[in-house]
């Protein structure tokens, strides 16, 4: 089954035509996980999951928002308790070393302080996931020079005893990819696979065991070829499947079937 394991129909980018976008998801017979980045967007993801039986929600405070609001454990736990089977993951959470300077502008004293804060909030998400036996949706991004985000994510997951989840829109190297998979984590691939010229992602897609791969759009961002530069939406995840199929020497239908089953199992989609 075609599943977009990570998108944001809960974001403002869809405010004018959300029902049309959702209609196209229904028409494609697909399932969609809408991922929260703060409390308001997590709430909205749950609303969408209640209104549409092919949609599910993930709850979290994105690392770039840790200076915009506090991690509200009580509110997130309430959303989980009141929406069993609709809330399927915790995230997105993780470490983002690309946008550290933005947090400095929001009042953080130093880069080290921002990193410490992101890690603290990340650990809170891991505990919430463990307490509720839910998988994590992890965001990672290296800085232009600072390439340590993924190793710090790995160490944090390991130290905190995290058990399952996905490193979404995977952007680390292959050595790090192997460590995440050894830890039991899945890797998520976006439209970037359709235009990445570095060869790194291709090598990782070629290597990854099929039972650990997920496909996603991260819509409204990261539109695949041939839609680059336009707003992304869940139905375009098929283009990610096509590219993954080409790299792995599988048929598109096989990739849709395998990655769909992986998502159903990891997120326990009902
Ligand atoms: Zn995202």
């Amino acid at each position: 089954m075609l599943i977009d394991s990570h998108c944001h129909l809960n974001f403002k980018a869809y405010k004018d035509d959300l029902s049309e976008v959702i209609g196209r998801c229904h028409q494609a017979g697909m399932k969609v996980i809408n991922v929260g980045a703060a409390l308001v967007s997590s709430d909205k993801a749950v609303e969408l999951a209640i209104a549409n039986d092919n949609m599910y929600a993930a709850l979290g405070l994105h690392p770039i928002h840790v200076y915009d609001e506090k991690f509200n454990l009580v509110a997130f736990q309430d959303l989980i308790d009141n929406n069993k089977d609709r809330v399927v993951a915790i995230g997105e959470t993780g470490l983002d070393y690309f946008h550290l300077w933005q947090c400095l502008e929001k009042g953080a004293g130093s880069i080290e302080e921002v990193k410490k804060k992101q890690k603290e909030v990340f650990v809170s998400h891991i505990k919430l996931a463990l307490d509720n036996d839910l998988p994590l949706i992890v965001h990672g991004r290296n800085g232009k020079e600072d390439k340590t985000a993924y190793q710090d994510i790995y160490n944090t997951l390991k130290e905190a005893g995290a058990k399952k989840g996905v490193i979404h829109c995977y952007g680390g190297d292959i050595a790090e990819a192997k460590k995440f998979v050894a830890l039991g984590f899945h890797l998520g691939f976006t439209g970037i696979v359709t235009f990445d010229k570095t060869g790194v992602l291709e090598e990782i897609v070629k290597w990854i065991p099929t039972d650990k791969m997920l496909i996603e759009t991260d819509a409204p961002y990261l539109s695949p070829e041939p839609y680059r530069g336009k707003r992304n939406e869940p139905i375009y995840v098929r283009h990610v499947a096509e590219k993954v199929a080409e790299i792995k020497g599988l048929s598109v239908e096989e990739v849709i079937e395998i990655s769909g089953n992986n998502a159903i199992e990891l997120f326990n989609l009902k």
Side-chain angles (χ1 to χ4, degrees), residues 6 8 92 168 218:
H6 186 121
H8 303 284
E92 53 191 295
H168 108 88
D218 204 14

Side-chain angles (χ1 to χ4, degrees), residues 92-210:
E92 53 191 295
T93 180
L95 303 174
D96 189 313
Y97 292 176
F98 192 81
H99 295 102
L100 291 171
W101 59 273
Q102 280 182 358
C103 293
L104 285 180
E105 285 174 355
K106 290 173 187 166
S110 67
I111 292 290
E112 281 320 302
E113 190 190 310
V114 178
K115 284 186 171 182
K116 199 171 149 232
K117 177 84 176 163
Q118 284 193 2
K119 181 174 171 176
E120 196 181 290
V121 174
F122 184 20
V123 169
S124 301
H125 283 81
I126 297 171
K127 284 187 184 146
L128 183 63
L130 286 169
D131 283 348
N132 292 280
D133 192 26
L134 288 170
L136 286 157
I137 294 180
V138 179
H139 166 98
R141 190 157 179 197
N142 282 322
K144 280 211 170 79
E145 270 121 50
D146 184 345
K147 306 292 183 196
T148 59
Y150 285 89
Q151 66 202 52
D152 288 350
I153 286 170
Y154 175 81
N155 291 335
T156 306
L157 288 171
K158 205 171 166 165
E159 279 163 27
K163 297 208 163 45
K164 57 184 174 182
V166 56
I167 315 298
H168 108 88
C169 188
Y170 186 71
D173 64 25
I174 189 157
E176 290 160 341
K178 288 180 177 172
K179 288 174 76 177
F180 285 117
V181 167
L183 195 63
F185 275 69
H186 290 63
L187 302 183
F189 301 103
T190 62
I192 295 176
V193 293
T194 68
F195 54 80
D196 178 55
K197 300 273 185 284
T198 66
V200 176
L201 211 44
E202 186 167 334
E203 189 189 7
I204 293 167
V205 170
K206 198 172 272 175
W207 163 79
I208 194 165
T210 51

Side-chain angles (χ1 to χ4, degrees), residues 11-23:
F11 282 10
K12 288 193 189 77
Y14 302 98
K15 67 176 170 32
D16 296 330
D17 61 347
L18 181 60
S19 56
E20 282 93 331
V21 176
I22 290 175

